Amino acid sequence: MNADSLVGRNLLSINDLSATGLAEVLEVAESFVEVSGRSVKKIPALKGKVVASLFFEESTRTRLSFETAAKRLSADVLSLAVASSSVKKGESLKDTIETIESLGIDAVVLRHRSSGAPHQVAGWVKGARVINAGDGTHEHPSQALIDLFTVRRALAERQGVESRDSGLSLLKGAKVLIIGDINHSRVARSEMLAYAKAGAQVRVIGPGTLLPSDVGIFGAQRADDLEKELANADVVSLLRMQEERGSGDFVPSLHEFSALYGIDERRAALIRPDAVITHPGPMVRGVEVSSAVADDPRMLVRQQVANGVPIRMAILFLALSTPGESLHG
Ligand code: CP
């Protein structure tokens, strides 16, 4: 699937969307930014719709921003507290989904430790849209859309142009460097695919044991000289070591990873003043990023979190629309 529009569709992977489809999400999100600045942060676009929020794995940003996004669109939110649900009594994912669907839902936002779980759920539900909020080491498509949106806005500001209605042109040709644990990172997979679709030049660097053997299938290239790449990049994307997925077993120690690939003040000084640094969060200060660099003015981590709401509003709005519906209709 490589659709030109998310309207009426699931979002399981960045590969569900063409470049036109990615640009559509960014443009709709621009129209929702203004809602977050209002005193009454609510529009009736999804009034009467029900969004189920099912997080089988820990989350701060993704869960809060999807739920906030659904509420800003006036949808009702069913939030399953997995730790105190019947999942703990042994209920399967399929039975859990069928139970929730019986309550009458329009969309499921799913985070799960198993890669492919949202694809399975999409095959089980009768009519609800399925949104992947991060599945195992596979993908985190809404995070990649946030990152594109945030970087597009930052590049527009630096160039003194409007990001709105700019499509993907500001990202075309941008040099994106993704650093760290690529193998276990669903954000890295979605970012590589999304930046490459947007026409950026994507390079990845990290310990050999934490790089996929062929990043070409994601539209990226391997790089091997960190300092040269930092000086050349327009966008430096940092990733957390995915310790819960065993990343630590692939490097001699976190200290060594940090010494070889962590971005500290010395390495940050190599990054151009007009370049940007991103991190999907949560950051682990002192491992992939020093505390000073985490607070560097080029670091966009806070903007990424803020942009999570309009991007996820756009995703829910489009996925729950039918062709021909007008925005805010
Ligand atoms: N970036 C991200 O997915 O963060 P959370 O795990 O807090 O949702």
Side-chain angles (χ1 to χ4, degrees):
M1 190 74 67
N2 206 1
D4 287 341
S5 175
L6 184 58
V7 169
R9 294 181 179 277
N10 300 326
L11 180 62
L12 306 179
S13 161
I14 286 295
N15 272 334
D16 291 344
L17 294 173
S18 66
T20 306
L22 295 182
E24 175 194 52
V25 177
L26 305 196
E27 295 314 329
V28 174
E30 291 282 4
S31 72
F32 286 135
V33 168
E34 175 266 327
V35 176
S36 300
R38 293 184 192 174
S39 57
V40 179
K41 299 175 177 53
K42 229 177 186 26
I43 56 170
L46 294 184
K47 198 169 171 57
K49 303 284 188 191
V50 181
V51 175
S53 168
L54 307 188
F55 280 67
F56 290 82
E57 216 185 37
E58 299 75 7
S59 170
T60 298
R61 283 145 281 269
T62 311
R63 180 175 188 156
L64 288 178
S65 61
F66 262 120
E67 294 184 4
T68 302
K71 288 173 189 169
R72 288 208 179 148
L73 294 167
S74 302
D76 293 319
V77 177
L78 291 183
S79 184
L80 181 74
V82 171
S84 56
S85 74
S86 291
V87 171
K88 292 287 166 192
K89 299 174 191 164
E91 190 165 46
S92 70
L93 177 60
K94 187 166 192 283
D95 287 334
T96 302
I97 294 294
E98 286 177 356
T99 301
I100 287 164
E101 205 177 21
S102 302
L103 297 171
I105 56 163
D106 298 287
V108 183
V109 176
L110 181 78
R111 170 167 289 190
H112 204 279
R113 75 187 68 81
S114 300
S115 300
H119 292 74
Q120 276 193 305
V121 168
W124 294 331
V125 292
K126 306 284 184 294
R129 299 286 164 261
V130 181
I131 310 296
N132 181 358
D135 62 327
T137 58
H138 174 233
E139 273 211 52
H140 195 348
S142 64
Q143 182 66 52
L145 285 160
I146 291 167
D147 301 346
L148 256 59
F149 185 73
T150 306
V151 168
R152 185 177 81 156
R153 289 193 129 218
L155 296 180
E157 196 181 306
R158 280 156 170 71
Q159 293 174 27
V161 298
E162 278 293 319
S163 62
R164 196 171 185 148
D165 301 327
S166 66
L168 301 173
S169 60
L170 290 163
L171 297 164
K172 200 170 166 59
K175 296 185 184 72
V176 178
L177 178 66
I178 307 177
I179 306 173
D181 178 8
I182 312 294
N183 238 355
H184 297 96
S185 171
R186 54 197 176 206
V187 173
R189 271 167 225 276
S190 291
E191 273 194 352
M192 287 189 283
L193 291 167
Y195 279 122
K197 276 187 196 226
Q201 296 172 34
V202 187
R203 294 166 79 78
V204 300
I205 193 162
T209 48
L210 291 174
L211 295 180
S213 53
D214 183 8
V215 291
I217 58 172
F218 303 108
Q221 285 181 303
R222 279 171 79 145
D224 52 25
D225 183 339
L226 178 60
E227 302 201 343
K228 187 178 119 201
E229 297 296 335
L230 286 172
N232 207 24
D234 299 301
V235 180
V236 177
S237 168
L238 308 184
L239 301 169
R240 183 174 63 86
M241 285 285 276
Q242 308 280 306
E243 290 256 67
E244 70 278 24
R245 290 180 237 290
S247 302
D249 295 342
F250 292 85
V251 289
S253 68
L254 283 184
H255 181 74
E256 181 164 319
F257 171 81
S258 194
L260 291 175
Y261 294 99
I263 303 303
D264 57 9
E265 294 89 314
R266 186 184 66 79
R267 290 198 175 118
L270 301 170
I271 301 171
R272 291 200 325 268
D274 62 334
V276 295
I277 309 171
T278 64
H279 195 307
M283 292 187 287
V284 184
R285 292 174 187 243
V287 179
E288 74 276 10
V289 61
S290 73
S291 204
V293 178
D295 298 324
D296 187 288
R298 292 166 293 179
M299 170 60 88
L300 300 180
V301 64
R302 301 276 169 253
Q303 292 92 320
Q304 288 169 272
V305 174
N307 289 333
V309 175
I311 280 286
R312 287 169 174 142
M313 288 171 79
I315 291 168
L316 291 170
F317 175 76
L318 290 165
L320 287 172
S321 295
T322 48
E325 268 183 328
S326 69
L327 185 59
H328 305 192

